[in-house]
Amino acid sequence: MNKLNNRTRRVENRFGKSGSMSAKPGSPSAAKPLARDRVRTVVLVGFMGAGKTTVGRALSRRLGRPFEDLDDRIHHREGKTIEQIFRESGETGFRKAETAALRELLGELGSSLRVVALGGGAFVEPGNAALIEEAEAHSVFLDAPVEELLRRCMEETTERPLRQNPEQFRVLYEKRRRSYMRAAVRIETGGKDVDTVAAEVACSLGLG
Ligand code: S3P
């Protein structure tokens, strides 16, 4: 599992140097926390370098609930790494595989809470966001200043087909940010360690 191995090699306990947490105005975290029994699955969304996988793992440990990374499911279903899928089928082929994997995952959800990390483009696809909403999963946008996201990605060994150069990275982030903002909750991750962010996600959902 190339990608999984790469992911485990990431710096797991810190994100960066600056920033603060905030909740989207009017979001559940700003209003009243969700009752534990109403929360089924937490879906972490955000750009490359947001820490969806590392925070997801920490949150899963904290809550004692299973964790799943959508890219890993795609890898297993397709029998190919994410990079291979991009190389052989392009982004269009990858998005099809991604939606199929997401549908499958959401279809398997029982009544118990799970923590799911999406790839950076998954929530941007309107159909996928609708599937997540229909499944009554709670989306959480892990945000950070784009320069920090870039720095985190540069420090990692993970292959990212859509991280071509800094300018393209910034442009793509700006293009996608509005979609991420549709998540139920936004957590600023800049300058925080992974466990702090996981705790803030749990608290914002009333699961602290
Ligand atoms: C993508 C992000 C990647 C992976 C794929 C596409 C994107 O996941 O799904 O390379 O479109 O931003 P990470 O966000 O975990 O790097």
Side-chain angles (χ1 to χ4, degrees), residues 11 24 28 35 39 67 84 91 120-121 127 143-144 162 165 191 201 208:
V11 178
K24 194 168 112 184
V39 177
F67 169 73
Q84 266 177 302
E91 184 171 353
D143 200 9
L162 292 182
N165 61 63
V201 174

Side-chain angles (χ1 to χ4, degrees), residues 7-181:
R7 279 169 187 269
T8 51
R9 268 190 262 127
R10 289 177 183 181
V11 178
E12 291 267 330
N13 64 351
R14 70 180 171 81
F15 286 115
K17 297 193 189 325
S18 64
S20 62
M21 173 188 172
S22 65
K24 194 168 112 184
S27 70
S29 57
K32 59 180 170 80
L34 298 160
R36 180 178 277 268
D37 59 5
R38 282 193 50 220
V39 177
R40 212 168 62 162
T41 280
V42 179
V43 178
L44 300 175
V45 311
F47 203 57
M48 294 172 268
K52 303 174 294 290
T53 301
T54 47
V55 169
R57 287 207 180 102
L59 184 63
S60 142
R61 278 194 300 273
R62 185 181 185 87
L63 301 176
R65 304 291 180 153
F67 169 73
E68 174 146 4
D69 184 303
L70 185 65
D71 279 351
D72 289 339
R73 182 177 283 247
I74 298 168
H75 182 165
H76 285 301
R77 288 181 96 245
E78 303 297 316
K80 296 172 185 174
T81 65
I82 303 303
E83 299 74 45
Q84 266 177 302
I85 302 171
F86 266 88
R87 222 174 20 249
E88 293 172 14
S89 314
E91 184 171 353
T92 308
F94 174 75
R95 296 298 167 208
K96 277 193 192 145
E98 184 175 57
T99 298
L102 180 65
R103 263 184 203 285
E104 183 182 78
L105 188 160
L106 295 174
E108 286 171 8
L109 294 178
S111 56
S112 68
L113 186 151
R114 247 197 239 190
V115 178
V116 176
L118 299 191
F123 196 69
V124 177
E125 300 290 308
N128 292 347
L131 288 174
I132 289 163
E133 202 171 318
E134 277 162 31
E136 296 182 359
H138 294 285
S139 47
V140 176
F141 170 27
L142 298 184
D143 200 9
V146 68
E147 294 308 319
E148 184 166 335
L149 295 170
L150 184 57
R151 185 182 54 72
R152 290 179 193 165
C153 285
M154 304 296 267
E155 285 173 358
E156 293 170 354
T157 55
T158 308
E159 286 290 320
R160 289 193 165 90
L162 292 182
R163 193 205 73 201
Q164 285 147 20
N165 61 63
E167 197 39 42
Q168 173 271 352
F169 188 92
R170 293 181 189 106
V171 168
L172 190 59
Y173 172 80
E174 283 311 320
K175 202 170 141 198
R176 287 179 171 181
R177 200 163 184 282
R178 189 194 295 222
S179 301
Y180 299 139
M181 289 297 284

